[in-house]
């Protein structure tokens, strides 16, 4: 005997439990409330039922007002579309395009043509069609012609003679392709559907037009650059004036006693123009260490010190132009021989005098240059990093100027200093030796130029020393790391292309187990980033992000 399978659960059966019953009950209740309340239940329905004729009149007026506004907007939109159609028609007429139908008209024509073709082919497809499909098992979806079918929810499955079941399947409606021949009047072609009006491209620019465009672009860039420079100069002048006013207030209040208001005014005047540097030069030659310039160079106030450095450069230029360079050099040497007892003041004074001497000595005779080399070399091992950097910069500037003036040969003192310093770097065994070797490398390469890096294989030796894992080479690694910073100071932007690839190594050295190597990496990385140009900022971001992970993981 054949047993009928259990009835299938369809969409009309409850099957959802109490939740579905509750939803149906709420829907029925809402419908009843809407009918009884004439517009809704609750406060809205009560308000509608209790309203008088004036309320209804006001509501009708409000609806009429809203309808009028909608009509106005629709009318304005239609006018805009008509104006746009007229404009497109003019453009098409100017371009010689015959097809002036708008997009909307084209779409309507295409839809009408497709409907006519479908009607000629035998009519539109029915929304749903029921078809009996034999199924081996009840409750399983069957497919026909590679399309999914769903089991009808109204009919029960029927038992067939072969033991299978017939189920009523509802086929989802899909648009059928038109069959048979289509009349010529309703024929739709691919060219009509895909054809679009193509606006011809303008002709290419001639050489003269291209040159005029490039010239205009260059002129705009030049004007923008000049405007940016003027804005920066104005901002710098404003900040400088504000800082000078604060210094004058401190001098007037008696908080700065080494420099008077008149002396500070002389420094500012000389910093602004070389023609005012003569009084300061005469005061330096006559008063030596008690001159206004020397006192200002030893002060810790940043504004006064920066102004004094600019004034010292003006004094040097005046001394060179008036053939008093040797006399000024002798006075500055005497100042370096009699430094004050205060260490901080002595360091500031030494670095300031060395900066002025470096500008001056390159224009003097070779004996003066040799004296500067000897004095600065003795300062290479100083405990102050500021003094080390000032000595290296003084030798680099003086020797580079002497080479250009044929006072010194490149293969003489500078090359000797570089060779000696590289050998000392590899064998450094104390902090003083490591600092002296690093300063010598920076000063010598700064004098010879960046070409010496490749000619003397400087970078390869620096990398080799910095990568050394020997426990006895800690001072050598410190010296190589410091040398990178001195090269950044002495070569400035010329060393940027070599320094940026080394930044990753410097960042990793910040977490070095040896404290002196980590401190040297800090100084060198700071020197690199302080002299970094705006165009190279993006090149160092990756190394900095990578370094954050290294430093964080290393615990420093």
């Amino acid at each position: 005997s054949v047993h009928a399978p259990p009835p299938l659960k369809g969409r009309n059966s409850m099957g959802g439990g109490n939740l579905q019953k509750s939803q149906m009950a709420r829907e029925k209740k809402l419908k009843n409330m809407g009918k009884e309340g004439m517009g809704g239940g609750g406060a809205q329905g009560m308000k509608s039922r209790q309203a008088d004729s004036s309320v209804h009149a006001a509501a009708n007026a409000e609806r009429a007002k809203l309808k009028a506004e909608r009509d106005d907007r629709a009318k304005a939109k239609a006018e805009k579309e008509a104006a746009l159609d007229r404009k497109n028609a003019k453009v098409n007429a100017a371009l010689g395009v015959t097809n002036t139908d708008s997009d909307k008209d084209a779409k309507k024509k295409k839809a009408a043509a497709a409907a006519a073709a479908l009607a000629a082919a035998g009519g539109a497809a029915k929304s749903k069609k029921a078809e009996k499909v034999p199924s081996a098992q009840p409750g399983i979806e069957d497919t026909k012609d590679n399309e999914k079918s769903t089991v009808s929810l109204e009919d029960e499955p029927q038992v067939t003679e072969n033991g299978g079941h017939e189920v009523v399947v509802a086929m989802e409606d899909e648009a059928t392709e038109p069959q048979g021949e289509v009349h010529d009047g309703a024929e739709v072609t691919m060219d009509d559907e895909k054809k679009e009006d193509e606006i011809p491209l303008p002709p290419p620019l001639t050489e003269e037009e291209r040159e005029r465009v490039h010239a205009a672009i260059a002129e705009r860039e030049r004007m923008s650059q000049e405007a940016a420079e003027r804005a920066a100069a104005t901002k710098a002048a404003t900040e400088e004036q504000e800082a000078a006013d604060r210094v004058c207030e401190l001098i007037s209040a008696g908080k700065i006693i080494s420099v008077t208001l008149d002396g500070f005014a002389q420094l500012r005047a000389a910093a602004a123009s070389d023609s005012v540097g003569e009084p300061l030069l005469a005061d330096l030659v006559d008063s030596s260490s008690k001159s206004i310039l020397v006192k200002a160079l030893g002060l810790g106030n940043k504004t006064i010190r920066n102004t004094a450095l600019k004034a010292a450069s003006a004094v040097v230029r005046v001394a060179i132009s008036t053939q008093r360079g040797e006399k000024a050099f002798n006075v500055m040497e005497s100042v370096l021989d009699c430094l004050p007892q205060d260490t901080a003041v002595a360091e500031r004074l030494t670095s300031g005098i060395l900066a002025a001497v470096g500008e001056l000595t390159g224009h003097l005779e070779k004996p003066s240059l040799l004296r500067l080399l000897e004095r600065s070399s003795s300062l290479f091992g100083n405990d102050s990093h500021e003094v080390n950097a000032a000595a290296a910069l003084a030798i680099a500037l003086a020797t580079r100027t002497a080479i250009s003036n044929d006072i010194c040969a490149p293969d003489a003192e500078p090359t000797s200093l570089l060779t000696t310093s590289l050998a000392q770097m590899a064998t450094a065994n104390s902090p003083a030796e490591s600092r002296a070797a690093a300063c010598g490398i920076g000063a010598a390469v700064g004098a010879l130029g960046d070409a010496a890096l490749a000619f003397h294989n400087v970078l390869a030796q620096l990398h080799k020393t910095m990568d050394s894992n020997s426990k006895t080479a800690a001072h050598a690694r410190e010296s190589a790391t410091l040398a990178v910073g001195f090269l950044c100071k002495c070569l400035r932007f010329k060393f940027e292309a070599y320094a940026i690839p080394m930044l990753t190594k410097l960042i990793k050295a910040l977490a070095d187990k040896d404290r002196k190597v980590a401190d040297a990496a800090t100084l060198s990385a700071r020197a690199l980033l302080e002299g970094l140009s705006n165009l190279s900022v993006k090149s160092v971001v990756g190394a900095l992000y990578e370094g954050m992970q290294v430093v964080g993981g290393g615990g420093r």
Side-chain angles (χ1 to χ4, degrees), residues 396-420:
L397 180 58
T399 310
R400 183 167 59 247
T401 307
I403 291 174
S404 63
N405 293 334
D406 295 331
I407 299 174
C408 176
D411 57 351
E413 286 80 12
T415 302
S416 176
L417 177 61
L418 178 58
T419 305
T420 305

Side-chain angles (χ1 to χ4, degrees), residues 535-553:
L535 299 177
S536 301
V537 172
K538 292 183 179 179
S539 302
V540 304
V541 173
L544 293 177
Y545 278 122
E546 183 180 354
M548 291 178 187
Q549 299 177 357
V550 173
V551 175

Side-chain angles (χ1 to χ4, degrees), residues 38 54 64-65 84 92 97 131 137 158 176 181 198 240-241 257 267 327 336 340 410 412 475 496 499 503 526:
M38 293 183 298
S54 62
K65 180 180 177 182
L84 181 60
N92 293 332
V97 181
E131 183 178 353
Q137 296 179 0
Q158 304 296 328
T176 59
E181 296 183 356
E198 296 183 358
E240 183 178 353
Q241 183 61 42
I257 59 177
L267 292 173
K327 184 178 292 187
L336 292 176
H475 291 289
E496 196 169 274
L503 180 60
R526 184 179 302 164

Side-chain angles (χ1 to χ4, degrees), residues 158-445:
Q158 304 296 328
V159 181
T160 60
E161 295 179 356
N162 56 2
H165 300 277
E166 289 185 355
V167 294
V168 179
V169 179
M171 305 295 293
E172 293 295 335
D173 179 25
E174 288 190 3
T176 59
E177 296 292 336
Q179 298 177 357
E181 296 183 356
V182 182
H183 296 289
D184 295 337
E187 183 177 0
V188 180
T189 62
M190 184 63 67
D191 293 338
D192 293 334
E193 293 181 356
K194 299 298 182 182
K195 184 175 179 181
E196 296 180 357
D197 297 336
E198 296 183 358
I199 300 177
L201 296 175
L205 298 177
T206 62
E207 291 296 334
E208 295 180 357
E209 292 175 339
R210 188 178 293 107
E211 290 179 358
R212 287 197 297 269
V213 170
H214 290 169
I217 293 174
E219 180 65 17
R220 287 197 296 269
E221 291 179 353
R222 184 189 63 80
M223 294 174 63
S224 300
Q225 182 67 21
E226 290 180 354
E229 291 177 356
R230 287 194 300 269
T234 303
K235 182 180 179 181
T238 303
E239 294 176 351
E240 183 178 353
Q241 183 61 42
E242 293 175 353
D245 294 340
R246 289 193 294 269
V247 169
C248 293
E249 293 177 358
L250 294 175
I251 294 175
S252 301
K255 297 181 179 180
I256 298 177
I257 59 177
S258 299
V259 178
T260 63
L261 289 174
D262 294 337
F264 183 59
Q266 289 184 10
L267 292 173
R268 294 190 64 195
S273 175
D274 293 352
S275 59
V276 197
E278 176 63 32
L280 286 179
L281 176 60
D283 181 56
L284 174 65
V285 172
D286 295 338
S287 302
S288 185
S289 59
K290 295 184 179 181
S291 62
I292 298 174
L293 183 61
V294 174
K295 290 180 180 178
L297 288 174
L299 287 177
N301 186 279
K302 185 177 180 179
T303 302
I304 296 178
R305 179 173 171 77
N306 291 339
T307 306
L309 288 172
K310 296 178 182 178
S313 298
V315 167
V316 167
R317 289 190 290 270
V318 172
I320 294 172
S321 62
T322 58
Q323 305 299 322
R324 288 182 288 177
E326 290 289 347
K327 184 178 292 187
F329 178 75
N330 294 331
V331 172
M332 292 180 184
E333 273 200 321
S334 65
V335 173
L336 292 176
D337 291 334
C338 301
L339 293 172
Q341 297 295 327
D342 191 333
T343 304
V345 176
E347 290 178 359
R348 291 193 293 266
L349 189 56
T350 300
S351 60
I353 294 295
L354 285 175
V357 169
E359 296 183 34
L360 176 64
T361 310
H363 300 277
L364 305 180
E365 298 297 330
K366 190 171 183 178
S368 300
L369 177 63
L370 295 178
R371 283 156 56 189
L372 174 63
L373 290 174
E374 182 180 358
R375 179 181 293 275
S376 297
S377 299
S378 64
L379 294 174
F380 282 168
N382 195 284
D383 294 337
S384 172
H385 184 73
E386 182 181 0
V387 173
N388 298 151
L393 286 170
I395 289 181
L397 180 58
T399 310
R400 183 167 59 247
T401 307
I403 291 174
S404 63
N405 293 334
D406 295 331
I407 299 174
C408 176
D411 57 351
E413 286 80 12
T415 302
S416 176
L417 177 61
L418 178 58
T419 305
T420 305
S421 300
L422 287 173
Q424 185 179 2
M425 177 190 69
T427 60
N429 200 24
S430 66
E433 291 180 0
S434 64
R435 289 194 294 268
C439 289
I441 293 172
V445 176

